[in-house]
């Protein structure tokens, strides 16, 4: 009799403890119902976005210590591939998901990727700080970079440099920035062979900084001391402008693109609250700090 | 031994029960011991056999894997002209994908040439010095330092090329960019020196001292003995050292990715001096390293054909096969040469 009582008491207290645990979990995640107590969000993808994604992750951890976001780079293609196999929660991408990638994600996971526009990025054209070049039109850029293009020397652009050869610096052929540049500057045609193809946004700018005759394209957030922006005009005769936040926002700068995050279907609550925070003024202020352009006007 | 054993047993057979019991116990004990010894021996032998076979298994499964991933490319897009004889590498093109690896082959060739031009004289010289001319103390110190050279990770070498050699080459030659064949050749050459030194030194040490003594007895100086007697005697081993150095240079990835400039460009052309070491190039290995991470691995459609987007991934594996063929030929040749020396002795 007494023994039975003990057993029942132990059992009851176990149940009580379990219930208490559950309650605590629910409160911890700020009212989100099904969120686990220590949630981890795995995000991976675009090399252009990796700094920004890291800053978001760090800031969000301060706001919401129960959720930690793990960010890695590798390129937009890698992020979308990993999302399509279902091993990450968020794919950072500096380009649209392609139809075949969307199909693959559906095949593998049964869910349709959902797109979230989180920021804008201007693709800046960089030259060495001692280069007198002021501005270029998109056609001139295409003639420098595109297959069959005729501009090979600085003198053709009216620029005098000790080394007349234009050293083209580009990206590896699957990066989101490369694909964007090919689509919007070269009109889907191919790049001229012989460019120096770097594997990261930062590498492009750093090589331009060390190469007096170099020209390169990369995210506008990667500017460093020894390089300068080239003003870009959409067409000859139009106004050439610098890639600044205001110019991108006012659609004056033509080489600007949206940056995306992708989830598989409707995201779970803890991922949804992260995305909501990113799109809130607090998250968008970080976009500006990282050198990109917010999707909403900030006060 | 067997004789005495049998004698012991027959002697025990005549003794008391107690004696016989102990003799039986001893017999069984040795039997048991022999059994366990046999068992341990067998386990160890089979474990070691497994290790030996594992190496073969690994090589074969790697080869099978590369072949399986790359094979569909042969059916759908491969042509000798378009692959080996074209320099147009546009694997992700939306209008006209092209898979020509001529520029990449020439890039690997040019970096290997320059690196060997530096590493062979330097490495063989070091080996001759270590084995023939240095004191014991200097030899030990040098060997440690050279092994240390081999321990530096290739990404660090690449960084040296990018940050240190690049501006130096620009300043000295006035060329527009310092990431080129010369830069990568110097870096890869330095990386190949340790392997050349250690194998060449082994070959020189394997020359019997009698040769040196005979040369000295005939009045040869140390240099004459080394140059006329020891070097020719170790010829095959030295050649093997050079070939393994070449294999190292062909296979080097990270350092060439960072130091060559990674540009699809032929460094050879008809204008003087025919081989332009100040041009940027791209190697086979670096192309795989830079592009494989983002090339999608797609599945074939219902008709068994792959979508066009899958060809990039497959073509990178075909490049892997080409590399595999190059390095295994080099290793095989080196192997035959080394075997040749052994037979002659």
């Amino acid at each position: 009799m007494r023994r039975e009582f003990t057993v029942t008491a132990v059992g009851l207290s176990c149940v009580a403890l379990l219930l208490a645990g559950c309650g605590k979990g629910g409160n911890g995640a700020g009212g989100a119902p099904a969120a686990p107590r220590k949630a981890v969000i795995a995000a991976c993808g675009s090399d252009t976005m990796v700094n920004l994604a890291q800053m978001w992750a760090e800031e969000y951890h301060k706001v919401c210590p129960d959720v930690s976001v793990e960010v890695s780079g590798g390129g937009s293609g890698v992020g979308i591939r990993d999302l399509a196999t279902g091993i990450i929660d968020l794919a950072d991408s500096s380009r649209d998901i392609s139809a075949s990638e969307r199909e693959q994600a559906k095949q593998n996971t049964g869910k349709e990727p959902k797109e979230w526009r989180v920021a804008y990025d201007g693709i800046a054209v960089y030259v060495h700080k001692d280069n007198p070049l002021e501005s270029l039109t998109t056609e001139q850029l295409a003639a420098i970079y595109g297959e069959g293009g005729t501009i090979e020397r600085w003198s053709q652009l009216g620029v005098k440099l000790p080394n007349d050869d234009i050293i083209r610096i580009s990206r590896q052929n699957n990066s989101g920035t490369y694909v964007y540049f090919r689509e919007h500057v070269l009109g889907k045609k191919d790049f001229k062979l012989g460019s120096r193809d770097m594997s990261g946004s930062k590498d492009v700018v750093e090589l331009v900084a060390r190469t007096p005759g170099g020209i390169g394209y990369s995210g506008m957030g990667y500017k460093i001391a020894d390089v300068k922006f080239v003003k870009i005009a959409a067409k000859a005769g139009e106004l050439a402008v610098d890639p600044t936040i205001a110019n991108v926002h006012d659609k004056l700068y033509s080489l600007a693109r949206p940056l995306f995050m992708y989830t598989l279907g409707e995201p779970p609550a803890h991922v949804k609250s992260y995305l909501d925070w990113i799109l809130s003024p607090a998250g968008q202020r970080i976009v500006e700090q990282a050198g990109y352009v917010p999707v909403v006007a900030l006060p | 031994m067997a004789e005495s054993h049998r004698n012991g047993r027959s002697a025990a057979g005549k003794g008391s029960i107690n004696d016989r019991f102990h003799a039986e116990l001893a017999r069984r004990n040795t039997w048991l011991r022999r059994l366990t010894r046999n068992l341990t021996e067998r386990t160890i032998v089979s474990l070691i056999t497994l290790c030996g076979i594992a190496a073969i298994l690994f090589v074969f499964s790697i080869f099978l894997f590369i072949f399986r991933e790359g094979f569909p490319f042969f059916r759908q897009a491969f042509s000798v002209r378009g692959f080996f004889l074209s320099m147009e590498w546009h694997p992700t093109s939306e209008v006209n994908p092209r898979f020509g690896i001529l520029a990449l082959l020439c890039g690997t060739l040019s970096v290997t040439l320059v690196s060997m031009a530096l590493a062979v004289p330097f490495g063989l010289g070091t080996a001759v010095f270590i084995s023939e001319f240095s004191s014991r103390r200097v030899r030990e110190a040098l060997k440690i330092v050279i092994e240390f050279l081999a321990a530096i990770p290739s990404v660090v070498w690449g960084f040296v090329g990018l940050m240190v050699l690049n501006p130096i080459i620009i300043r000295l030659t006035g060329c527009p960019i310092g990431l080129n064949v010369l830069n990568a050749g110097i870096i890869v050459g330095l990386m190949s020196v340790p392997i050349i030194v250690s194998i060449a030194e082994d070959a020189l040490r394997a020359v019997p001292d009698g040769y040196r003594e005979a040369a000295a007895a005939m009045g040869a100086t140390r240099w004459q003995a080394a140059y006329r007697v020891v070097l020719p005697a170790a010829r095959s081993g030295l050649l093997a050292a050079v070939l393994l150095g070449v294999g190292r240079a062909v296979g080097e990835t990270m350092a060439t990715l960072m130091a060559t400039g990674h540009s699809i460009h032929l460094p050879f052309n008809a204008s003087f001096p025919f081989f332009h070491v100040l041009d940027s190039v791209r190697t086979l290995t670096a192309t795989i390293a830079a592009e494989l991470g983002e090339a999608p691995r797609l599945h074939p459609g219902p008709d068994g054909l792959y979508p066009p987007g899958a060809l990039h991934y497959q073509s990178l594996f075909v490049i892997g096969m080409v590399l595999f063929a190059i390095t295994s030929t080099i290793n095989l040749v080196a192997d035959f040469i080394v075997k040749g020396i052994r037979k002659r002795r």
Side-chain angles (χ1 to χ4, degrees):
Chain A
M1 183 63 208
R2 198 169 181 169
R3 203 179 195 171
E4 255 168 52
F5 172 74
T6 329
V7 171
T8 325
V10 169
L12 272 175
S13 48
C14 279
V15 171
L17 268 174
L18 261 173
L19 281 173
C22 286
K24 213 173 167 189
N27 292 339
R37 214 182 321 168
K38 264 282 174 197
V40 176
I41 302 175
C44 168
S46 167
D47 208 67
T48 310
M49 287 168 73
V50 73
N51 284 349
L52 174 62
Q54 194 63 47
M55 284 167 82
W56 270 329
E58 276 162 21
E59 202 57 36
Y60 192 65
H61 195 65
K62 286 181 206 152
V63 178
C64 189
D66 289 341
V67 180
S68 65
V69 185
E70 285 169 5
V71 178
S72 56
S76 304
V78 172
I80 292 174
R81 190 188 65 198
D82 287 355
L83 185 78
T85 47
I87 60 177
I88 55 169
D89 304 299
L90 275 176
D92 304 328
S93 177
S94 59
R95 61 171 171 84
D96 293 334
I97 191 168
S98 73
S100 68
E101 285 165 337
R102 196 175 275 278
E103 194 49 45
Q104 230 190 336
K106 256 196 281 184
Q107 266 179 19
N108 290 339
T109 63
K111 289 178 194 158
E112 176 105 10
K114 191 167 157 59
E115 183 177 285
W116 306 78
R117 184 175 292 204
V118 290
Y120 288 102
D121 177 29
I123 304 267
V125 175
Y126 293 95
V127 291
H128 192 265
K129 69 171 190 318
D130 297 333
N131 192 323
L133 182 73
E134 278 298 320
S135 69
L136 286 172
T137 65
T138 317
E139 286 111 28
Q140 282 173 321
L141 267 181
I144 293 172
Y145 272 103
E147 202 171 27
T150 50
I151 300 182
E152 301 270 355
R153 305 184 178 285
W154 288 111
S155 49
Q156 286 172 279
L157 296 165
V159 172
K160 265 217 171 93
L161 280 179
N163 251 306
D164 203 22
D165 290 329
I166 298 180
I167 306 292
R168 305 187 303 281
I169 298 164
S170 179
R171 288 292 307 276
Q172 90 275 15
N173 54 30
N174 247 328
S175 95
T177 315
Y178 174 99
V179 172
Y180 176 87
F181 197 86
R182 186 172 68 190
E183 197 168 322
H184 291 86
V185 178
L186 309 184
K188 297 208 174 184
K189 278 191 275 176
D190 287 315
F191 279 85
K192 208 186 280 179
L193 292 173
S195 56
R196 275 72 177 175
D197 305 329
M198 300 291 111
S199 303
S201 304
K202 206 165 135 253
D203 302 341
V204 170
V205 185
E206 281 177 355
L207 187 56
V208 173
R210 286 194 299 272
T211 313
I215 184 169
Y217 60 88
S218 187
M220 59 187 260
Y222 286 89
K223 189 173 182 305
I224 52 174
D226 285 345
V227 297
K228 68 173 196 184
F229 290 136
V230 179
K231 291 185 171 66
I232 299 294
K235 282 190 191 97
E238 280 187 20
L239 180 70
V241 294
D242 266 331
T244 60
I245 290 176
N247 285 341
V248 171
H249 220 263
D250 299 341
K251 304 242 177 339
L252 285 173
Y253 188 73
S254 54
L255 296 180
R257 58 177 174 175
L259 300 177
F260 300 108
M261 279 186 170
Y262 286 95
T263 56
L264 279 175
E266 202 52 49
H270 61 294
V271 179
K272 180 76 171 71
S273 24
Y274 181 50
L275 284 164
D276 287 345
W277 175 81
I278 283 176
L279 296 170
S280 73
Q284 291 295 304
R285 203 155 288 130
I286 293 168
V287 173
E288 216 172 68
Q289 282 167 20
Y292 299 96
V293 182
V295 279
V296 290
L298 290 176
Chain B
M1 170 82 193
E3 190 78 12
S4 74
H5 192 76
R6 211 176 324 143
N7 284 347
R9 241 167 84 186
S10 61
K14 284 176 197 156
S16 66
I17 292 182
N18 205 7
D19 283 350
R20 247 191 287 170
F21 171 72
H22 278 288
E24 180 63 18
L25 201 68
R27 195 180 68 80
R28 286 195 185 176
N29 264 351
T30 40
W31 179 80
L32 202 73
R33 219 178 295 148
R34 207 178 292 157
L35 181 78
T36 44
R37 205 189 7 190
N38 257 348
L39 270 183
T40 15
E41 174 116 2
R42 249 186 234 169
T43 331
I44 290 175
V45 167
S46 53
L47 268 178
I48 287 176
T49 315
L50 198 72
C51 292
I53 295 175
I56 299 176
L57 271 181
F58 284 140
V59 170
F60 265 96
S61 29
I62 288 173
F63 181 73
L64 274 182
F65 171 69
I66 294 177
F67 193 75
R68 191 195 67 188
E69 298 299 303
F71 183 69
F73 184 78
F74 287 103
R75 275 201 327 198
Q76 279 184 241
F78 182 83
S79 73
V80 175
R81 251 183 94 99
F83 193 71
F84 288 109
L85 301 179
S86 154
M87 65 166 284
E88 307 220 332
W89 176 252
H90 284 296
T92 60
S93 167
E94 291 192 33
V95 282
N96 178 17
R98 280 151 287 171
F99 304 88
I101 64 163
L102 182 65
L104 313 179
L105 275 171
C106 289
T108 294
L109 177 71
S110 60
V111 171
T112 309
L113 277 178
V114 172
S115 66
M116 287 303 112
L118 294 169
V120 168
F122 194 60
L124 293 187
T126 311
V128 171
F129 175 71
I130 287 179
S131 98
E132 305 298 316
F133 294 94
S134 66
S135 67
R136 200 190 159 79
R137 252 225 199 115
V138 174
R139 174 191 305 157
E140 292 311 316
L142 261 179
K143 280 177 94 169
I144 290 172
V145 173
I146 286 165
E147 269 154 33
F148 186 73
L149 208 60
I152 299 174
S154 63
V155 65
V156 174
W157 280 115
F159 202 67
V160 170
L162 203 61
M163 306 301 286
V164 182
L165 273 184
N166 178 23
I168 293 178
I169 290 177
I170 293 183
R171 209 177 317 135
L172 291 185
T173 65
C175 63
I177 187 164
L179 302 178
N180 48 30
V181 177
L182 181 64
N183 189 333
I186 292 171
I187 294 291
V188 175
L190 285 175
M191 294 174 79
S192 322
V193 163
I195 196 167
I196 294 181
V197 170
S198 65
I199 293 172
E201 201 241 19
D202 280 349
L204 292 172
R205 287 278 211 89
V207 175
D209 271 341
Y211 284 37
R212 296 181 184 87
E213 284 155 12
M218 294 185 66
T221 62
R222 271 168 101 183
W223 167 243
Q224 283 168 335
Y227 184 67
R228 294 283 181 80
V229 178
V230 180
L231 275 181
R235 200 170 50 217
S236 321
L238 299 180
L239 193 56
V242 170
L243 283 177
L244 286 172
V246 172
R248 176 89 178 80
V250 170
E252 178 45 43
T253 306
M254 201 58 211
T256 55
L257 175 61
M258 295 165 84
T260 53
H262 204 55
S263 165
I264 299 173
H265 176 81
L266 287 178
F268 308 101
N269 62 30
S271 69
F272 189 77
F274 312 119
F275 177 25
H276 303 262
V277 289
L278 295 178
D279 286 2
S280 297
V281 293
R282 200 199 253 212
T283 61
L284 295 164
T285 47
T287 304
I288 299 180
E291 296 179 10
L292 190 59
E294 293 200 46
R297 182 177 187 275
L298 303 177
H299 300 290
D303 51 355
L305 287 179
Y306 285 84
L311 290 174
H312 184 201
Y313 176 85
Q314 294 162 1
S315 66
L316 292 174
F317 275 89
V318 179
I319 293 183
M321 284 183 218
V322 173
L323 270 172
F324 201 94
I326 295 174
T327 45
S328 50
T329 313
I330 292 169
N331 279 8
L332 271 181
V333 171
D335 223 41
F336 278 127
I337 290 170
V338 171
K339 281 232 181 72
I341 337 174
R342 284 210 198 110
K343 231 177 238 164
R344 254 194 311 159
R345 267 184 208 146

